[in-house]
Structure formats: C-alpha cells, structure tokens
Amino acid sequence: AIQLTQSPSSLSTSVGDRVTITCRASQVMTSTLAWYQQKPGKSPKFLISHASSLDDGVPSRFSVSESGTDFTLTISSLQPEDFGTYYCQQFDSYPLSFGGGTKVEI
Amino acid sequence: EVQLVESGGGLVKPGGSLRLSCAASGFGLGNYSMDWVRQAPGKGLEWVASISSGGGYIYYADSVKGRFIISRDNAKNSVSLQMKSLRVEDTAVYYCAREGYGSGPTEFDYWGQGTLVTVSS
C-alpha cells in the first residue's frame, strides 16, 4: 500500500506569501496524485491533479510539481480565502490513500 | 450541475448495522466509478471503498473489508454502502465521491456534503 506523508502538518502565513506543501509517497508513482482543499465543516473540494490541469474555476496561483516521490502544491500568493486544510491523495493503486493534511492558517 | 446527496447516517450501537445511500444527479452515473471516503471527528480523510462504473470492480480498505459492502444502481442513480458489525472507530462523516472520467482510479472530482455515522453504546 502506498503511504503519503504530508509536510508541514500546519503553517501560519500571511496574505501574499508563497506557500509550499509537500507530499512524499512511499513508492514511485506516475503523476497519479491529486490535491484537495477542505474548509471547516465543509466537504473537501478537488483542486488539482498532477495528471491533468487545474480544475475549472481554480485560480492560477495554485500549481503543482513533482520530483521523484515528492509532490508539491504551491500557492504563489496566498489569498484570505485560501485558509483551510489541504490533502494529497494517490490514485496510483488500491488501496487509495490520503496524506495526513496540512492546515493553512492566515 | 453535479450533485451527490448522502443519507442514512445516524447513531448506532457497536455491532449494529447501517445503510448509507448517495443520490446522484446532473451527470450519467453509469459512466463513473464512485467511492466512499470517511473522516473521523477532527481527523483526516480515509478512503473506504470504490465501485467501478458498471459495478464489476470493487475495492475496500482493509479496515472495512468483510464488514462493508458497496453497491450501485445506475438505473436509480444511486450508490450505497451497507455497513455491518460497526465499531466505535467507524464513527465518522461519510462522503460519497465521484471519480473523474477515465479508466482506472482517478481523482475525486465531486463530493457530497457527507452524512454522520456515530457508533456508540
């Protein structure tokens, strides 16, 4: 089973900051990783997949990159509405799995 | 507009059973794999089960294998999760999620609002 380790688990930032969240997979995957944003009391929302482009309506300040087993979500200029918890998820193989989450506080 | 609406959650005693339903609308359910994902209070997301578009391929997390059964009725635009032998650790909000179009597992592009299952004596 593929395990995903997200870092950091939380971060406190300011509007306009560049934010980077990393998801490390326990084995090599072929771009089969997605990112979700969840706000308190709400359902997760699909943001972006390494296998495709941004979901419709997702601002271009969100981008992804990968290097080996490390996958990175970058928010180029943090906006007030970007607070919440971010999760990575692999869909390379079953059992599907999520990272532990990164709480972004502003 | 794609909509997924879960129902069937509630309070159940350990060892009990519960059936969750997910009503899908705004898209052709028969073209998509569907999943259940859960989130224990204050915790992260945990994938539970997947069922392929035609129902021929089914996968479960080890934590629920042998106790939960995922099924679908494309004609009725619904997906279900039958849960048996429930444990306290099954307490969570259960989300129905649609996988993106394509063969093999893909990202979850739409999620329902969730239904809370509480297992407690």
Side-chain angles (χ1 to χ4, degrees):
Chain A
I2 297 175
Q3 298 179 19
L4 300 177
T5 303
Q6 256 183 269
S7 61
S9 57
S10 66
L11 61 97
S12 183
T13 68
S14 299
V15 172
D17 281 357
R18 181 182 182 87
V19 171
T20 299
I21 301 170
T22 298
C23 183
R24 175 165 290 175
S26 60
Q27 63 190 69
V28 174
M29 305 187 307
T30 52
S31 299
T32 47
L33 189 121
W35 294 90
Y36 304 86
Q37 178 195 61
Q38 185 178 34
K39 297 197 173 182
K42 300 294 186 182
S43 307
K45 173 188 173 186
F46 170 60
L47 263 181
I48 189 170
S49 167
H50 287 253
S52 61
S53 59
L54 281 165
D55 192 32
D56 290 344
V58 178
S60 58
R61 62 180 180 273
F62 292 91
S63 64
V64 294
S65 62
E66 59 192 79
S67 177
T69 58
D70 285 352
F71 296 80
T72 300
L73 172 70
T74 300
I75 309 172
S76 60
S77 178
L78 198 74
Q79 298 302 300
E81 61 267 30
D82 297 336
F83 80 93
T85 302
Y86 292 80
Y87 294 94
C88 59
Q89 177 245 334
Q90 67 83 14
F91 50 94
D92 184 87
S93 61
Y94 293 100
L96 306 181
S97 52
F98 290 88
T102 296
K103 186 174 184 179
V104 175
E105 298 173 297
I106 301 175
Chain B
E1 179 192 7
V2 172
Q3 281 197 318
L4 300 171
V5 179
E6 302 93 336
S7 60
L11 175 63
V12 61
K13 288 182 169 50
S17 299
L18 209 57
R19 185 180 180 90
L20 305 183
S21 295
C22 172
S25 61
F27 68 100
L29 182 64
N31 294 321
Y32 295 86
S33 294
M34 298 294 295
D35 296 63
W36 288 93
V37 176
R38 68 184 181 184
Q39 186 169 36
K43 302 297 184 182
L45 301 170
E46 180 188 15
W47 171 76
V48 173
S50 292
I51 185 167
S52 61
S53 57
Y57 296 93
I58 290 175
Y59 304 89
Y60 297 100
D62 285 346
S63 58
V64 306
K65 200 174 293 182
R67 300 188 299 122
F68 289 12
I69 297 175
I70 188 172
S71 61
R72 64 191 298 157
D73 186 335
N74 290 336
K76 295 184 178 179
N77 292 312
S78 70
V79 180
S80 297
L81 186 68
Q82 176 68 51
M83 304 185 295
K84 300 179 181 179
S85 303
L86 283 162
R87 306 167 179 168
V88 171
E89 54 266 35
D90 294 320
T91 294
V93 173
Y94 284 74
Y95 295 103
C96 173
R98 189 186 86 167
E99 292 191 28
Y101 188 79
S103 61
T106 65
E107 66 276 353
F108 303 126
D109 61 356
Y110 286 94
W111 298 65
Q113 86 287 350
T115 187
L116 177 63
V117 172
T118 303
V119 185
S120 173
S121 54

